[in-house]
Amino acid sequence: MNKEMPQDDWAPRSEAVLDDQIASYDEMRRRCPVAHSEYLHWSLFRHEDVVRALHDHHTFSNAASSHPSVPNGMDPPQHTLYRQLIEPYFSAERMAAFEPVCRDIAVKLVDGLPAAGEVELMAAFAEEFALQAQSAFLGWPAELNEPLRRWTRKNHAATLARDRNAMEEVAFEFDGYIRALLAQRRAAGDGTPSDITACLLRERVADRLLNDEEIISILRNWTVGELSTMSASVGILMHYLAARPALQQQLREQPSLLPVAIDEILRIHAPLIANRRITTREVEIGGRRLAAGERVTLIWASANRDEAVFGDPDDFRLDRDPSKNLLYGAGIHVCPGAPLARMELRVILEELLQRGCRLQLVPGKEPVNAVYPASGFAALPLRIERE
């Protein structure tokens, strides 16, 4: 007997939703907080429901991908083994060692901005920072930046279209880049550099070395997450400050406020729209009954704006309880790369603000919103004025 499919409550790929994702998710949270669609299956919009799914990994499994995903697509105990392996790569010691490299990248990009005038910040600055910082962190050559930029865009397009063949091709293309890097490091023998990519070749799990498929999956997860969300975050932050000169000046004068201000701005406008889960058993959530095996989409961009937790979702406050902010998730799958992302965002804003750049909106030129699975802006015209 075929399972009866629920009627769709909304259309995630409709023009109205993609035109303004944040406003659309706000409306869904109030109207239908647990909603079904053919494209995203079941979507959770409320903070309470998303937090419940995050902490109940026995019911809401992370093994939602048809491809191996280390460790994002795993549940305990398998997840625990790999998580313990990767967490040291984001330790305070590694962040302190990488910060000068990251700052050098930021300084060069800020100094490369025009002394005065209009610039499209996404391609010329935000995407470039994400690419350069990620390549430097992983020990990848600069010549890989442009292929990675094209790959990220193809990955977004394939995900939006839910084109399985295109998604397979994109994954295969990325795998090729990484296999070549691994082969180079193996061929170098004792001369292998001590970068993160080389270090992964020496990592062991369950008394054996990681195999290439596991290393590729780890690096793919880091790269997909880092490139898209980092460039989106930089764009969101720059637009937010350009629209609020007083806040921009306050952070210029009080840079110690940057970490909490960055997290709050990215709560208001999420750089990552959603993650997936799959139910392992029948469950009732938000007044809807989901069967075992249902695919679930956790809408971060809505949960972090829930009025029941944050009041007016657009109210910028520096005194919020940080434990409520789901910017980097929660539970056993909380983002291991959060220390890296926080450091990179702090550094890029420190250099922008302290090196005399005043960000201004361009009258008559609106930014172009990015569309699912991306967030932030596809194009961001801003005016730069130097002090």
Side-chain angles (χ1 to χ4, degrees):
M1 182 176 179
N2 293 330
K3 181 176 67 175
E4 184 178 347
M5 294 297 294
Q7 292 186 341
D8 283 357
D9 301 302
W10 69 309
R13 288 192 293 179
S14 67
E15 184 176 347
V17 171
L18 295 181
D19 184 58
D20 190 340
Q21 294 182 100
I22 302 300
S24 298
Y25 301 150
D26 283 348
E27 192 271 334
M28 287 302 300
R29 183 177 64 253
R30 297 157 187 156
R31 178 176 68 83
C32 187
V34 179
H36 187 271
S37 66
E38 181 181 1
Y39 181 62
L40 291 182
H41 305 279
W42 291 100
S43 295
L44 307 184
F45 292 93
R46 294 190 307 193
H47 190 278
E48 174 187 0
D49 296 332
V50 169
V51 168
R52 176 182 168 188
L54 292 174
H55 287 285
D56 184 5
H57 56 269
H58 297 292
T59 302
F60 296 91
S61 167
N62 249 53
S65 174
S66 57
H67 299 283
S69 181
V70 182
N72 303 38
M74 295 175 169
D75 296 318
Q78 188 182 32
H79 167 267
T80 306
L81 290 174
Y82 289 94
R83 180 75 186 218
Q84 291 172 344
L85 182 151
I86 67 172
E87 282 188 345
Y89 286 93
F90 302 99
S91 67
E93 293 76 16
R94 278 191 179 268
M95 295 306 97
F98 182 61
E99 182 168 335
V101 178
C102 180
R103 192 172 297 278
D104 184 59
I105 292 169
V107 167
K108 290 176 180 176
L109 287 173
V110 171
D111 286 349
L113 290 171
E118 180 185 330
V119 62
E120 198 290 288
L121 264 297
M122 291 310 298
F125 189 83
E127 291 179 6
E128 196 60 34
F129 176 68
L131 282 165
Q132 290 190 30
Q134 178 70 352
S135 291
F137 181 67
L138 295 176
W140 293 354
E143 54 264 29
L144 196 54
N145 287 359
E146 194 54 37
L148 283 173
R149 188 197 306 272
R150 294 194 299 268
W151 176 82
T152 301
R153 290 173 178 168
K154 286 188 283 187
N155 187 54
H156 283 163
T159 303
L160 176 62
R162 283 287 170 91
D163 185 331
R164 296 292 180 186
N165 290 332
M167 291 167 75
E168 293 276 359
E169 291 174 5
V170 167
F172 183 77
E173 179 181 345
F174 182 89
D175 291 1
Y177 297 145
I178 306 308
R179 289 185 192 280
L181 290 172
L182 297 181
Q184 291 169 7
R185 279 152 177 74
R186 287 193 173 103
D190 292 339
T192 301
S194 59
D195 58 48
I196 285 178
T197 303
C199 288
L200 287 171
L201 285 169
R202 299 188 286 270
E203 290 287 1
R204 306 182 71 86
V205 63
D207 296 324
R208 63 168 178 81
L209 290 171
L210 290 177
N211 60 44
D212 282 7
E213 286 66 32
E214 290 166 327
I215 295 173
I216 289 168
S217 179
I218 290 169
L219 292 173
R220 187 193 302 118
N221 282 331
W222 288 355
T223 305
V224 171
E226 180 71 7
L227 293 183
S228 56
T229 55
M230 179 54 57
S231 58
S233 295
V234 173
I236 290 166
L237 291 166
M238 294 178 75
H239 178 263
Y240 195 90
L241 295 180
R244 295 161 181 82
L247 176 60
Q248 186 179 157
Q249 184 60 27
Q250 180 185 9
L251 295 177
R252 184 176 285 109
E253 295 171 355
Q254 299 175 275
S256 62
L257 296 178
L258 276 171
V260 66
I262 289 168
D263 278 12
E264 174 67 352
I265 293 169
L266 298 180
R267 178 200 63 77
I268 293 169
H269 188 164
L272 177 64
I273 294 295
N275 277 139
R276 296 180 297 165
R277 297 291 190 272
I278 188 167
T279 56
T280 61
R281 53 195 174 196
E282 185 178 278
V283 61
E284 184 173 327
I285 187 166
R288 308 294 292 266
R289 185 164 293 278
L290 281 58
E294 293 283 6
R295 297 191 173 275
V296 179
T297 306
L298 312 181
I299 308 289
W300 309 111
S302 170
N304 246 2
R305 293 173 54 82
D306 192 333
E307 296 86 350
V309 177
F310 302 104
D312 182 347
D314 291 308
D315 186 15
F316 175 87
R317 288 175 47 187
L318 296 175
D319 62 347
R320 294 191 186 277
D321 179 353
S323 69
K324 302 294 185 184
N325 192 333
L326 300 178
L327 175 60
Y328 295 103
I332 65 169
H333 292 286
V334 65
C335 178
L340 175 64
R342 284 191 164 109
M343 183 272 288
E344 290 179 345
L345 293 172
R346 172 179 56 79
V347 164
I348 194 66
L349 281 193
E350 283 175 351
E351 295 305 328
L352 269 168
L353 296 175
Q354 297 304 314
R355 299 180 80 80
C357 290
R358 293 192 177 274
L359 309 173
Q360 302 173 5
L361 300 180
V362 180
K365 289 192 176 181
E366 294 295 322
V368 178
N369 289 335
V371 298
Y372 187 92
S375 185
F377 306 102
L380 178 59
L382 290 182
R383 180 174 296 278
I384 305 292
E385 295 292 343
R386 300 274 188 173
E387 292 180 340

